[in-house]
Amino acid sequence: MKISQKLIILFLLMALIPIVAIGVFSYFNTQKALNQEISSQLTNTLNRKTEAINQIIQQNGTVLEVFADYGNVRLLTGAYNDAPSASITRQLNQVLAIRRADNSGIRRIHVLDTHGQVEASTDNRFLDHDYSKSRVFQVGSKGIDVSMFFKDIDGLPAEYLTGPIVLQGKTVGVAVLEYQVDSLSLITGDYVDLGQTGEAFMVGPNDAGQQVNVAPLRFNDNAALTPYKHSGTGRQTRDYRGHLVLQKTTKLDSTGWRVGVKMDQDEVYAPVYQLRNLTLGIILVTIVLVVLVGWYFSHYITAPIIRFTQVVSRIRAGNLTERVQIKSNDEIGVLGTAFNDMTSDLLESRARLMASVLGLSQGFIMADHDGHVITINNAARRLLKLPETDSDTTSHTLRDIFARVEKFDVTTSVTQCLQDKRSLEARDVTFEGSFFNIFLSPIVIGDQSNGAVVLITDETEERIIQRSRDEFFSIASHELRTPLTAIRGNSDTILQYYKEQLKDPDVHSMISDMHDASIRLINIVNDFLDMSSLEQGKATFTIAPFDPQEVTKAAIAELSNAAKAKNLPIKLNTPKTALPQVAADQERTQKILVSLLDNAVKFTDKGSITLTLEASESTLHFSVTDTGRGISPEAQKLLFHKFQQATSSLLTRDDTSATGLGLYISRLLAQGMEGTLYLGATEEGKGTTFTLELPLATAPKQAPKT
């Protein structure tokens, strides 16, 4: 550290320590007082709302008890339970209509028999509806419950009041009242004591047992009966908007509901933030003043050293003709003379070095530890389109020279090269239509990396040839698909609608062969297009969670006819526990599984095919196992390569009419979804297993690929 910097730091510490101490003390005391005040306010508000909600709970319980004790309801339900009839149902419907009219808060009333079937209702749409598997019936048949919420058939939030209908000590049915939640919305929608950002909320279970928001929240009118989300505890609690809030909640033991109130921390701590900003302003002004005063005194003391340092910096930048101009007899003067001698020796060594590198056909750049260019040859200037000069040096840095080179961060690469003390290579780097391979190697002296050498090789001509081949391949495939589609469509139309005109079996056979051949050709062209899109990085993936069993069943259904034709059962093997969701492209995943199953059917003559699903900590394994021919060790070397089939002969095509692209495309698709596809096991004459691994939706994710 420079002497001037040490002096300035000393002045700063002397001035800032008392200011910072006072500011921190005031900040935390103010924050503590605000916490106590807001906590008391939230507690009082929460108590009032909890008391009001408890009253509504008691009222709802009373409504349900009165209804269940109503004599006609119990008698008619008991009669229906003994001998169901349409007449009793009509009488019950009339009684239910009267009871509903007596209470405006009731939207609908249903009476369920002991098996969960709706035997009477104020809404005919619910007659004979089956509630047997519903939590409403299961809870209501055991006792009174007013804690469940749901969206009714009209899409409106409502509350279930449910309980048994008892006649002579025996449960003869279950009463289900759909009750409006307007009273609860009025209570939670009162934000008078909660400032500009505060909210009151209530959470309760729905019919499925999930915790949901009972009423709309202040900043989300559509939040009613959506899943309740929050994170963190205490002062770091985040609400459904992701805002940091101060929150108080309480649980209503009688129902399992939870009532809470909250306010945004930004509103609560606004006075504290103002105090903080004022303190920071004072600190910044103090820093500026101290730096100015410190700079004046340090410059006076260190002026000779600064002049020496400036010369050293210019020499480090590559100007080796610079010399130290300090004429004194003290230690600094002696140091300057020795430094000038060393610089002369360095200039001579540099001249010898340049003679050995100027003749290289590759681009050559030597830079120091900070990226300042020491040497650059004419080949590098030509490749990077730098101006030709008589000098082998430049005043630029590596960062300046490579600023126009796409997708190559020279600063990061050189830093990593120097830190790891190992060579690095960047392939296919683009620059104004050219393609380079860039090789970086550290210059290590002793245990330290003092610089780096950059070699640039022009690969443009080779890449142009490759790109032309890929573009021709893609365009040709596109142009082929249009006429092939027309052939398939016309032949299909002839086979379907002109059977009478195709009485000659030879003509019918020729058109059928033409139709089948067009389908095979279209599949081949589609494989070519998929391969071209994936290899050129143009394929897109829609990564989203999905049920793995859904995609496996769809893939099996797609291959079921082909498997039945060969009398090969396709078995699905899943664990007893529920499988987690997969985070991948569902359509692409199904394509891979169909390809694997299709290969299994093609190369299996007898036995069976098994698709096994198994989850690990972060991935899900889809394993396709067949009892077919197996793959020889020689053929295994060809797996996942273009236009290669794992057949018994390496020099002939198989008789399956395949392109040899299935496994190659499937592996590219798996890699595009952060997964992998590999050969799990195989044995000639006994079968083969291929395994697809995809990340789980609950595993940490990287950025989606395209």
Side-chain angles (χ1 to χ4, degrees):
M1 183 181 292
K2 297 179 181 179
I3 296 175
S4 59
Q5 293 175 339
K6 292 180 180 179
L7 290 174
I8 292 175
I9 290 174
L10 178 62
F11 293 151
L12 283 173
L13 290 176
M14 293 174 60
L16 292 179
I17 287 177
I19 295 176
V20 172
I22 294 173
V24 170
F25 178 79
S26 301
Y27 178 87
F28 283 105
N29 272 327
T30 304
Q31 188 180 50
K32 181 179 179 181
L34 278 173
N35 279 336
Q36 293 175 349
E37 180 181 350
I38 296 301
S39 177
S40 176
Q41 180 179 342
L42 291 177
T43 299
N44 293 336
T45 303
L46 178 62
N47 290 338
R48 290 197 300 272
K49 294 185 180 299
T50 301
E51 182 179 354
I53 292 173
N54 275 325
Q55 291 178 359
I56 292 177
I57 293 172
Q58 294 175 1
Q59 292 172 2
N60 291 347
T62 301
V63 169
L64 183 60
E65 289 177 354
V66 169
F67 175 79
D69 289 339
Y70 191 64
N72 288 346
V73 173
R74 287 190 287 117
L75 293 175
L76 290 172
T77 303
Y80 187 91
N81 192 43
D82 294 335
S85 68
S87 173
I88 297 177
T89 297
R90 286 194 298 271
Q91 295 179 53
L92 260 175
N93 286 340
Q94 293 174 358
V95 173
L96 297 184
I98 295 172
R99 300 306 297 169
R100 179 182 176 278
D102 292 341
N103 191 327
S104 59
I106 299 176
R107 292 181 182 169
R108 296 176 185 84
I109 304 177
H110 315 302
V111 174
L112 281 57
D113 62 18
T114 55
H115 300 292
Q117 298 285 335
V118 176
E119 63 184 56
S121 174
T122 57
D123 190 335
N124 291 334
R125 292 176 291 179
F126 285 86
L127 288 177
D128 296 327
H129 184 76
D130 187 4
Y131 280 92
S132 60
K133 296 182 180 180
S134 171
R135 189 165 172 259
V136 176
F137 173 72
Q138 295 171 358
V139 173
S141 62
K142 298 176 182 178
I144 292 176
D145 185 89
V146 297
S147 65
M148 284 179 283
F149 298 93
F150 70 105
K151 280 189 178 180
D152 66 10
I153 195 171
D154 299 319
L156 299 174
E159 175 185 3
Y160 275 132
L161 311 183
T162 180
I165 300 175
V166 180
L167 180 63
Q168 296 179 355
K170 178 182 177 182
T171 299
V172 295
V174 176
V176 178
L177 280 65
E178 296 184 9
Y179 208 75
Q180 64 185 15
V181 295
D182 295 348
S183 300
L184 296 174
S185 298
L186 289 174
I187 294 173
T188 56
D190 180 9
Y191 309 123
V192 174
D193 299 331
L194 298 175
Q196 299 299 318
T197 60
E199 292 180 310
F201 60 91
M202 191 178 77
V203 179
N206 62 10
D207 186 25
Q210 297 175 320
Q211 292 294 311
V212 295
N213 294 309
V214 173
L217 298 174
R218 178 186 237 173
F219 301 104
N220 186 356
D221 293 337
N222 299 319
L225 301 189
T226 59
Y228 171 63
K229 296 180 180 179
H230 77 287
S231 62
T233 57
R235 293 177 59 188
Q236 292 301 316
T237 297
R238 291 186 181 273
D239 65 4
Y240 64 97
R241 298 170 295 157
H243 293 192
L244 285 171
V245 296
L246 296 181
Q247 177 175 293
K248 292 282 186 179
T249 62
T250 185
K251 185 176 182 182
L252 304 180
D253 295 333
S254 60
T255 61
W257 298 352
R258 181 173 291 277
V259 182
V261 292
K262 58 187 175 66
M263 291 179 65
D264 282 10
Q265 285 192 21
D266 287 343
E267 179 181 4
V268 174
Y269 294 139
V272 177
Y273 296 155
Q274 293 175 358
L275 176 61
R276 177 196 62 191
N277 294 338
L278 177 61
T279 303
L280 290 176
I282 295 174
I283 291 175
L284 290 176
V285 172
T286 303
I287 290 175
V288 172
L289 293 176
V290 171
V291 169
L292 291 176
V293 174
W295 177 84
Y296 175 78
F297 284 103
S298 64
H299 181 73
Y300 178 79
I301 296 172
T302 62
I305 300 176
I306 291 175
R307 290 198 300 271
F308 190 98
T309 304
Q310 291 172 347
V311 173
V312 172
S313 298
R314 288 193 291 270
I315 292 175
R316 290 185 62 189
N319 189 1
L320 299 182
T321 60
E322 284 282 338
R323 294 296 182 268
V324 177
Q325 303 296 331
I326 298 179
K327 298 179 180 180
S328 63
N329 296 323
D330 57 12
E331 290 82 354
I332 295 179
V334 175
L335 179 61
T337 301
F339 188 83
N340 288 336
D341 294 339
M342 181 185 68
T343 305
S344 298
D345 294 339
L346 181 62
L347 184 60
E348 182 180 350
S349 299
R350 183 182 182 280
R352 290 196 297 268
L353 175 64
M354 285 306 304
S356 63
V357 300
L358 287 176
L360 290 175
S361 60
Q362 292 177 310
F364 178 92
I365 303 175
M366 182 183 293
D368 62 17
H369 190 278
D370 296 325
H372 297 283
V373 174
I374 300 173
T375 300
I376 179 169
N377 68 356
N378 290 331
R381 292 180 183 275
R382 185 182 68 257
L383 293 175
L384 297 173
K385 299 183 180 179
L386 299 174
E388 298 286 345
T389 65
D390 295 333
S391 173
D392 62 343
T393 62
T394 175
S395 60
H396 297 298
T397 64
L398 288 176
R399 183 175 182 180
D400 298 330
I401 292 176
F402 288 92
R404 294 178 296 159
V405 178
E406 301 176 7
K407 298 181 180 179
F408 178 66
D409 188 346
V410 68
T411 303
T412 302
S413 299
V414 170
T415 300
Q416 183 179 355
C417 175
L418 297 181
Q419 288 179 348
D420 298 342
K421 298 179 183 178
R422 63 181 180 87
S423 300
L424 298 176
E425 185 176 11
R427 302 185 64 85
D428 298 331
V429 176
T430 59
F431 173 69
E432 296 185 359
S434 299
F435 295 89
F436 299 152
N437 287 345
I438 301 178
F439 181 82
L440 295 92
S441 180
I443 302 174
V444 181
I445 301 177
D447 294 332
Q448 293 184 345
S449 299
N450 294 323
V453 171
V454 182
L455 296 177
I456 308 172
T457 305
D458 190 357
E459 301 287 340
T460 304
E461 184 175 354
E462 180 181 346
R463 285 299 302 271
I464 290 175
I465 295 173
Q466 176 65 32
R467 179 183 294 176
S468 298
R469 183 167 60 246
D470 292 342
E471 289 179 352
F472 171 78
F473 195 66
S474 178
I475 293 172
S477 299
H478 274 288
E479 294 299 326
L480 282 172
R481 184 157 58 176
T482 300
L484 287 173
T485 303
I487 294 172
R488 184 185 64 179
N490 290 334
S491 60
D492 185 62
T493 301
I494 293 173
L495 291 173
Q496 289 190 37
Y497 299 105
Y498 295 92
K499 293 182 180 179
E500 293 297 327
Q501 289 83 344
L502 299 178
K503 294 181 179 180
D504 188 334
D506 292 335
V507 174
H508 188 279
S509 177
M510 286 188 292
I511 295 177
S512 296
D513 291 343
M514 178 179 66
H515 179 68
D516 295 340
S518 67
I519 292 176
R520 286 197 300 273
L521 284 174
I522 289 173
N523 291 334
I524 292 173
V525 169
N526 287 336
D527 284 345
F528 287 165
L529 290 174
D530 286 343
M531 179 188 69
S532 177
S533 176
L534 289 165
E535 288 182 338
Q536 297 180 37
K538 297 179 180 179
T540 58
F541 295 86
T542 304
I543 306 300
F546 64 85
D547 184 356
Q549 294 198 57
E550 178 181 342
V551 73
T552 53
K553 291 178 180 178
I556 291 173
E558 192 168 337
L559 269 297
S560 60
N561 290 335
K564 288 180 180 178
K566 298 183 69 173
N567 197 25
L568 294 173
I570 301 179
K571 304 175 183 178
L572 178 60
N573 186 12
T574 59
K576 295 181 179 179
T577 57
L579 286 169
Q581 288 191 326
V582 174
D585 188 316
Q586 184 170 354
E587 182 178 347
R588 305 281 189 163
T589 302
Q590 182 173 334
K591 181 178 178 65
I592 297 173
L593 294 178
V594 168
S595 178
L596 296 178
L597 290 171
D598 185 47
N599 284 344
V601 171
K602 287 178 181 178
F603 298 106
T604 303
D605 297 324
K606 62 180 179 178
S608 63
I609 299 169
T610 304
L611 177 52
T612 303
L613 275 63
E614 183 178 3
S616 64
E617 182 177 351
S618 60
T619 59
L620 188 71
H621 302 246
F622 301 80
S623 297
V624 177
T625 303
D626 62 54
T627 58
R629 310 173 193 176
I631 305 174
S632 66
E634 293 78 10
Q636 291 178 30
K637 300 176 183 178
L638 301 177
L639 291 177
F640 306 110
H641 290 277
K642 286 191 288 188
F643 308 113
Q644 296 293 343
Q645 294 176 303
T647 60
S648 57
S649 173
L650 302 181
L651 301 177
T652 61
R653 305 292 295 171
D654 195 81
D655 59 358
T656 58
S657 302
T659 62
L661 292 174
L663 288 177
Y664 176 71
I665 293 174
S666 295
R667 172 169 277 187
L668 292 179
L669 290 174
Q671 292 171 349
M673 297 184 292
E674 300 294 339
T676 182
L677 176 64
Y678 56 89
L679 175 65
T682 185
E683 185 175 353
E684 290 187 81
K686 293 187 178 181
T688 302
T689 297
F690 283 95
T691 299
L692 169 65
E693 291 187 11
L694 293 177
L696 299 179
T698 55
K701 305 302 292 181
Q702 300 179 356
K705 286 188 176 183
T706 60

